[in-house]
Amino acid sequence: IAKLILQHLRHVQSTVISHRRRSQQRSRRRFRKMRSFFMQQMVEMQANYLQMFAMLRLKQAHAEEEDSEARVSDEEEPTAEEKPQESLFFEDVMPGLSEEEFLNTLHVTRGTFETLCKQLAPALRNVEVLAKRLPPVSSEKCVALALHFLASGERLTLIANRFGLPRPRTIKCLKAFCNAVMSTLGKALRQLPQSPVDCNSVAEGFQRESNMPPALVGVLGICSIPIRANGEPKYATSSSMLRMEYLLDDRMRFRELQLGCDSKAALVPMFSQAPNSLSTLPKFRINSRSLPAFILAPVNQNYPLRPWLLQRYSDPLAPHEHDFNEVAEHLQELSDCALHRLMSRWSFLSQPLDISFNTASCIITAAAVLHNLLEELSEPHLLEWGNTVDVSKFRPEPLEDDIREDADSAAAMALRDFLARTISSTEI
């Protein structure tokens, strides 16, 4: 009995004291890493904001000086015959906006707006709804209308009145803009990298960010957006939801999208079946072991466990399993950050959509393309745009994961264990 008691005490000491100490040390390291990362991001965003704010203020001051000089030199007063007319946003308001007002209105700078108009003009010039109907709509007005709708998040009826167009034609202008974006700039919504150089660049980016071994090429995220679905009675219910699956790279750009609504939301999850675009990617070599390129999927969203589609442990026990889950949870936090950045730039995503599912799919895809393009151009992104955006409201309802005991799931669990042990061995 004495030996059993002594053995029990030693077991309690090793499990409670040693494991608890290691868990506390790991928690402290994780908190220090997350705190330093977020502080660095906040400092960088604040510095960019202050620099852009100073530049916009300076331009505004110069514009006000020029306006005051013009008013002094122009002594003519309007005649009594002139009657006030209802001002239109594109014709009367936009030309008088300062640089700061322009950025806060369309969420792009004036220079980027002009460049975008030039790139889309060939695709918009011969669109029937713009050029062959009265009154004609210029390509610049079409671009301004679409960007104002995306950035403001206002209802289509208000946008139509502001631009002096009926609502049906406003929707057609939006579709024309989105089709032009996809045909002209669609490569900005780049799919998974194919060359070894691009794959290594993405995998190394994730490794620097999260200590994940360099074989991860994307993180999957999901959100649900309420949709009123005007014009489609079969979706026009109070509980209609648009489900958006998206794949992110290491720079939080949206590589691929899959959209569904209600019954359409039961689509096969992205990359859940083989063969797929991940199958053709080059393999990685870690510690003399060949590994397939894989992406990380969220739990409880009907994703199967596959060698190319991994998830965190549902019930971690060993220390290396906890380490893998910490890395996976950090990467899912980056997914939320990317969604917040997209919704704060294009505010129409952060509230119920009053358009049909097909129209919403077209606009959201084009919005992701524009977002990727503006991220590539390092376009200003002001912090106050996201003050009212709460991405937690758009988290989807949990679904049971597709758990199957087959060869693919066994290979996926073995791969996940290898990655988890590699993370534990390289943890600082």
Side-chain angles (χ1 to χ4, degrees):
I1 294 175
K3 288 183 180 179
L4 288 175
I5 294 174
L6 181 60
Q7 215 170 15
H8 176 69
L9 290 175
R10 288 177 180 174
H11 176 70
V12 169
Q13 182 182 7
S14 63
T15 57
V16 176
I17 300 177
S18 301
H19 288 189
R20 182 180 180 184
R21 185 183 300 115
R22 181 171 182 181
S23 177
Q24 290 175 346
Q25 291 174 353
R26 185 165 58 248
S27 298
R28 292 192 194 101
R29 286 196 301 268
R30 183 176 72 253
F31 288 142
R32 283 198 301 270
K33 176 186 274 188
M34 291 183 64
R35 185 166 58 249
S36 61
F37 168 75
F38 283 111
M39 287 299 296
Q40 181 181 359
Q41 292 292 320
M42 290 296 295
V43 170
E44 183 179 352
M45 294 173 69
Q46 186 69 15
N48 293 337
Y49 170 75
L50 291 176
Q51 182 180 3
M52 180 56 60
F53 183 81
M55 183 186 70
L56 293 175
R57 283 295 186 186
L58 185 60
K59 290 184 178 181
Q60 183 181 7
H62 287 315
E64 290 176 353
E65 290 179 1
E66 294 175 357
D67 291 342
S68 61
E69 293 176 359
R71 284 195 297 269
V72 170
S73 60
D74 187 8
E75 298 180 354
E76 294 182 3
E77 296 183 357
T79 62
E81 297 178 355
E82 293 180 349
K83 297 181 180 180
Q85 297 180 354
E86 183 181 359
S87 60
L88 297 177
F89 180 80
F90 179 75
E91 291 81 358
D92 304 324
V93 178
M94 270 189 60
L97 294 178
S98 64
E99 294 294 330
E100 182 181 6
E101 293 171 339
F102 194 96
L103 177 62
N104 280 315
T105 302
L106 300 186
H107 290 186
V108 297
T109 59
R110 197 183 297 271
T112 301
F113 170 77
E114 295 173 353
T115 302
L116 194 61
C117 291
K118 292 178 182 178
Q119 291 179 328
L120 299 181
L124 293 173
R125 189 174 294 123
N126 297 323
V127 176
E128 181 180 358
V129 71
L130 300 180
K132 299 180 180 180
R133 293 189 182 181
L134 296 177
V137 177
S138 64
S139 58
E140 292 81 4
K141 184 173 182 177
C142 179
V143 174
L145 183 151
L147 292 179
H148 190 40
F149 168 74
L150 296 177
S152 67
E154 295 179 346
R155 294 178 67 93
L156 267 173
T157 304
L158 296 177
I159 300 295
N161 294 336
R162 194 164 294 167
F163 281 80
L165 297 173
R167 189 179 188 277
R169 194 176 184 194
T170 301
I171 295 177
K172 292 180 180 179
C173 289
L174 279 173
K175 288 184 177 180
F177 169 81
C178 295
N179 292 333
V181 167
M182 295 305 299
S183 63
T184 307
L185 306 172
K187 292 183 179 179
L189 183 63
R190 290 178 296 183
Q191 297 183 357
L192 287 170
Q194 298 297 323
S195 67
V197 175
D198 291 339
C199 290
N200 289 333
S201 175
V202 173
E204 290 171 359
F206 280 122
Q207 184 185 30
R208 287 191 299 270
E209 183 59 44
S210 63
N211 198 32
M212 177 68 76
L216 177 67
V217 295
V219 176
L220 282 173
I222 304 176
C223 71
S224 294
I225 304 173
I227 180 170
R228 299 190 180 97
N230 292 346
E232 288 192 12
K234 64 179 180 179
Y235 295 137
T237 64
S238 58
S239 59
S240 294
M241 301 293 291
L242 184 146
R243 178 182 171 93
M244 181 172 77
E245 296 180 71
Y246 52 90
L247 179 68
L248 299 170
D249 64 6
D250 59 312
R251 296 176 59 186
M252 295 193 292
R253 293 170 299 186
F254 292 77
R255 294 276 190 164
E256 291 192 13
L257 295 177
Q258 178 170 283
L259 303 170
C261 184
D262 286 348
S263 61
K264 292 185 179 182
L267 294 172
V268 177
M270 292 177 66
F271 305 107
S272 61
Q273 296 181 350
N276 51 57
S277 54
L278 291 170
S279 307
T280 60
L281 297 183
K283 294 185 178 298
F284 295 86
R285 197 160 193 84
I286 301 174
N287 295 340
S288 302
R289 178 171 176 173
S290 178
L291 301 179
F294 71 93
I295 58 179
L296 191 66
V299 294
N300 300 326
Q301 290 299 326
N302 196 32
Y303 285 102
L305 192 61
R306 296 290 182 264
W308 61 88
L309 190 64
L310 299 184
Q311 304 174 22
R312 62 182 178 87
Y313 291 89
S314 58
D315 188 17
L317 297 175
H320 65 275
E321 295 177 354
H322 286 282
D323 292 338
F324 183 88
N325 278 11
E326 289 177 7
V327 172
E329 289 168 3
H330 174 61
L331 291 170
Q332 290 299 329
E333 290 174 359
L334 294 182
S335 172
D336 289 343
C337 292
L339 183 62
H340 183 275
R341 194 169 176 87
L342 175 69
M343 287 187 165
S344 58
R345 186 187 294 279
W346 305 133
S347 300
F348 89 103
L349 284 169
S350 61
Q351 55 190 332
L353 305 177
D354 61 344
I355 49 182
S356 67
F357 169 74
N358 292 333
T359 303
S361 301
C362 177
I363 296 175
I364 290 174
T365 306
V369 171
L370 286 175
H371 176 77
N372 288 351
L373 178 65
L374 297 178
E375 291 292 307
E376 288 285 343
L377 298 175
S378 299
E379 192 73 1
H381 189 286
L382 304 187
L383 294 176
E384 56 264 30
W385 294 347
N387 288 342
T388 60
V389 177
D390 182 9
V391 295
S392 63
K393 298 190 302 183
F394 302 97
R395 287 177 182 154
E397 294 293 330
L399 303 173
E400 292 186 4
D401 289 325
D402 185 5
I403 301 176
R404 303 177 188 173
E405 295 184 359
D406 52 17
D408 283 336
S409 63
M413 287 188 284
L415 173 61
R416 184 174 61 181
D417 286 339
F418 172 77
L419 294 171
R421 296 182 187 278
T422 304
I423 292 173
S424 294
S425 65
T426 58
E427 187 180 24
I428 299 176

